């Protein structure tokens, strides 16, 4: 044990230092692997002073109950170590020891009556002392939540903890029932800050994934926990568990919240691995629970209707949210409606002029009036005067989406419908247009829409 810990102390002592070179990492992995294999082998060996015949009999591995500073050793091997291979080797050894220890403490066949059994006093004394498996799980739970850089290295830690908790009878410990453990994990998950970023899909919140998977293990072992409310300190008994998990997965930030927080806006789950863990937890909550299933379906339907903006279900059965998220570069594109590449390229260039973008977004513009039935038969002489109010409104809306949206692209259909040519006809998305001619027409409409402030908005107009 000391040899394995010494192999990782050097590289774990300074978490701000760069990772060790590959040869040193391979050497550390080799030392830890062999040292832990020796530990497992020693645990299988018979105790000193045993019976003469006991040396020939196989003995189940036992996690050393008198291991000095078990909590510190687990933290050094599974959280502070920067080499993933070392953490995996430590997890494999600890799981093997704890698994065999569980098999030794819970034999499949009952002991024979009459002989070989432990004395009543000895069994009572062993009942008061927690088993090494329970001791290991208890020490690992005492390390929650991991602090600082340890959270980014906690993937193997939570995988081991999830496996060990699943091996405990009914996922309960002698001094920590499953309900209390679930309440603690739920509290840690609810208070966990947003870590994942939309502009960094490779950054996975392993701590949050660990909480979600642990809670799923507890729910499968204790189904009655699915009806437990989240304690919110209110008079209504708290928030429903399905609602709390659903918000962490799907809640979208407001515009003010997105501007204030930036890339770390809700929801908590952004990467595919984290969202898969949250979805699996929601599915487990709805398993054989009609009330939870009905509530989950209502929330999913409301989310879909609010996203589509109308009461009918979207026809896109192949809808994949990842295909519609903002690109990692941080910019929002414009959808090509057929032959509108001239419009998209020009609008993007204008948007990237800081002064022009700020001036457009700062304008106070009234929404256009809804079209009436008399508009189609009105006198076309109005087209002689370039009306730019509607164009300016939809251009501002387009700039707003380019600046604030979290989607991959913006549909320019409304802008094309509001933009009218000299014959009072909207832009035909299937017809190519000269970009120089379109620029002159656009600036004329913007000057007409802004009025006296057109010169300040457009600056020095291209001659």
């Amino acid at each position: 044990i000391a040899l394995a810990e010494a192999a990782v102390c050097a590289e774990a002592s300074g978490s701000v230092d760069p990772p060790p070179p590959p040869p040193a990492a391979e050497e550390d992995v080799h030392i830890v692997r062999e040292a832990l294999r020796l530990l497992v082998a020693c645990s299988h060996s018979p105790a000193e002073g045993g019976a003469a015949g006991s040396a020939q009999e196989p003995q189940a591995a036992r996690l050393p109950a008198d291991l000095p500073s078990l909590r510190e050793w687990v933290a050094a091997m599974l959280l502070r170590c920067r080499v993933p291979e070392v953490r995996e080797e430590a997890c494999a050894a600890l799981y093997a020891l704890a698994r065999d220890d569980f098999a030794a403490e819970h034999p499949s066949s009952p002991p024979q009556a009459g002989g070989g059994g432990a004395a009543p006093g000895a069994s009572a004394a062993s009942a008061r002392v927690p088993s090494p498996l329970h001791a290991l799980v208890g020490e690992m739970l005492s390390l929650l939540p991991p602090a600082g850089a340890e959270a980014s290295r906690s993937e193997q830690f939570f995988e081991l903890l999830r496996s060990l908790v699943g091996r405990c009878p009914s996922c309960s410990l002698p001094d920590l029932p499953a309900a209390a453990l679930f309440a603690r994990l739920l509290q840690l998950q609810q208070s966990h800050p947003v870590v994942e970023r939309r502009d960094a899909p490779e950054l996975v919140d392993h701590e949050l994934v660990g909480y979600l998977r642990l809670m799923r293990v507890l729910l499968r072992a204790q189904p009655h926990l699915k009806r437990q409310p989240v304690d919110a300190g209110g008079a209504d008994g708290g928030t429903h568990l399905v609602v709390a998990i659903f918000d962490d997965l799907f809640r979208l930030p407001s515009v003010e919240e997105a501007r204030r927080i930036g890339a770390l806006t809700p929801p908590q789950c952004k990467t595919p691995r984290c969202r898969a863990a949250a979805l699996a937890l929601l599915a487990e909550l709805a398993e054989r629970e009609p009330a939870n299933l009905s509530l989950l379906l209502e929330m999913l339907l409301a989310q879909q209707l609010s996203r589509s903006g109308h009461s009918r279900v979207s026809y896109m059965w192949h809808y994949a949210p990842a295909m519609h998220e903002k690109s990692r570069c941080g910019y929002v594109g414009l959808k090509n409606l057929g032959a509108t590449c001239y419009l998209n390229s020009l609008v993007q260039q204008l948007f990237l002029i800081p002064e022009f973008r700020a001036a457009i977004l700062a304008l106070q513009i009234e929404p256009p009036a809804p079209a009436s039935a008399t508009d189609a038969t009105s006198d076309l002489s109005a087209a002689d005067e370039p009306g730019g109010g509607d164009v300016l409104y939809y251009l501002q809306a387009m700039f707003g989406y380019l600046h604030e949206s979290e989607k991959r692209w913006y549909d320019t259909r409304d802008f094309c419908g509001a933009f009218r040519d000299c014959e009072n006809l909207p832009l035909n998305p299937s017809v190519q247009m000269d970009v120089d001619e379109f620029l002159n027409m656009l600036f004329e409409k913007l000057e007409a829409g802004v009025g006296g402030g057109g010169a300040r908005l457009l600056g020095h107009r291209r001659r």
Side-chain angles (χ1 to χ4, degrees):
I1 294 173
L3 182 63
E5 186 175 6
V8 298
C9 280
E11 56 86 20
S13 58
S15 59
V16 295
D17 297 337
E26 294 178 2
E27 181 180 356
D28 290 341
V29 173
H30 180 72
I31 294 175
V32 171
R33 181 187 300 114
E34 297 303 324
L36 292 176
R37 285 178 180 177
L38 285 174
L39 174 63
V40 175
C42 293
S43 300
H44 280 280
S45 63
E48 296 182 1
S54 61
Q56 304 298 329
E57 298 176 359
Q59 180 177 348
R62 300 281 297 179
L63 185 65
D66 57 347
L67 180 64
S69 187
L70 177 60
R71 181 176 184 273
E72 183 63 24
W73 188 78
V74 171
M77 297 293 293
L78 299 182
L79 294 176
R80 290 199 290 270
C81 177
R82 293 200 304 267
V83 184
E85 292 81 2
V86 173
R87 301 197 297 267
E88 292 175 0
E89 292 291 340
C91 283
L94 286 172
Y95 180 73
L97 293 171
R99 178 191 58 194
D100 293 339
D101 176 70
F102 176 83
E105 301 235 349
H106 301 82
S108 57
S109 60
Q112 297 181 0
S123 61
S126 61
R128 292 191 298 267
V129 179
S131 68
L133 171 63
H134 292 160
L136 177 59
V137 174
E139 294 293 349
M140 295 183 70
L141 291 175
S142 66
L143 293 172
L144 298 179
E150 296 179 356
S152 60
R153 310 174 189 140
S154 60
E155 179 180 7
Q156 293 80 13
F157 175 87
F158 278 105
E159 285 297 325
L160 176 61
L161 181 58
R162 180 170 64 94
S163 301
L164 295 180
V165 170
R167 297 194 68 87
C168 295
S170 302
C171 295
S172 298
L173 301 177
D175 55 346
L176 187 62
L181 176 58
F182 184 83
R184 182 184 175 191
L185 291 174
L186 187 60
Q187 181 182 7
L188 290 173
Q189 182 265 328
Q190 293 293 309
S191 60
H192 185 68
V194 178
V195 176
E196 296 181 344
R197 305 168 60 97
R198 292 191 180 277
D199 56 352
E202 71 281 355
L203 180 62
V204 180
D205 190 354
H206 296 295
E207 181 181 353
L208 180 59
V209 173
Y211 293 148
L212 296 174
R213 290 179 175 176
L214 268 173
M215 287 191 291
R216 186 189 178 197
V217 170
L218 292 173
L219 289 177
R220 296 184 68 178
Q222 302 286 344
H224 68 276
L225 297 176
K226 299 179 182 181
R227 298 178 291 273
Q228 177 177 335
V230 179
D231 186 9
D236 56 350
T239 309
H240 199 281
L241 185 57
V242 175
V243 178
I245 303 299
F246 189 91
D247 288 344
D248 294 333
L249 182 62
F250 291 107
R251 187 177 78 85
L252 297 178
S254 61
V255 176
E256 294 77 12
E257 191 176 12
R259 291 175 177 173
R260 184 180 72 257
I261 301 177
L264 295 176
T265 54
Q268 282 187 325
C269 304
K270 298 183 179 68
T271 60
R273 184 182 303 182
C274 191
R275 296 180 69 84
L279 285 172
L281 180 59
L282 286 174
E284 185 63 37
L285 285 169
E287 183 72 19
R288 298 186 178 181
E289 289 290 338
N292 290 357
L293 178 60
S294 176
L295 177 59
L296 181 58
L297 291 177
E298 291 178 3
M299 298 180 67
L300 286 172
L301 182 60
Q303 179 80 7
Q304 170 69 15
L305 296 181
S306 64
R307 182 186 62 85
S308 58
H310 45 72
S311 58
R312 66 179 180 87
V313 179
S314 176
Y315 62 88
M316 296 177 58
W317 293 104
H318 61 283
Y319 171 68
M323 297 178 58
H324 298 268
E325 292 182 353
K326 182 187 291 187
S327 175
R328 292 187 58 184
C329 65
Y331 294 101
V332 180
L334 296 175
K335 184 178 181 180
N336 193 339
L337 303 180
T340 57
C341 53
Y342 67 94
L343 184 151
N344 295 352
S345 59
L346 177 62
V347 170
Q348 290 281 18
Q349 292 184 55
L350 294 176
F351 174 77
L352 292 178
I353 301 176
E355 295 81 5
F356 187 84
R357 178 176 67 246
I360 290 291
L361 294 176
L363 293 175
Q364 300 294 330
I365 307 176
E366 293 293 333
S372 60
T374 59
D375 290 344
T377 58
S378 59
D379 188 6
L380 295 182
S381 62
D384 297 337
E385 297 293 334
D390 294 356
V391 173
L392 189 59
Y393 173 81
Y394 287 111
L395 179 65
Q396 186 185 61
M398 192 186 312
F399 275 24
Y401 274 93
L402 292 176
H403 192 266
E404 300 288 349
S405 178
E406 290 293 336
K407 293 186 177 181
R408 186 177 294 269
W409 45 262
Y410 174 75
D411 195 331
T412 59
R413 198 181 310 271
D414 292 337
F415 179 83
C416 293
F419 194 97
R420 301 300 176 114
D421 58 11
C422 57
E423 297 179 357
N424 200 32
L425 297 176
L427 289 179
N428 189 346
S430 61
V431 176
Q432 181 71 28
M433 187 175 183
D434 181 71
V435 67
D436 184 77
E437 178 184 359
F438 175 74
L439 175 63
N440 290 326
M441 294 175 59
L442 176 63
F443 274 26
E444 288 177 359
K445 294 183 180 298
L446 293 182
E447 286 180 342
V450 176
R456 294 191 301 273
L457 172 65
L458 303 179
H460 54 283
R461 181 179 175 182
R462 182 178 60 85
R463 297 179 180 179

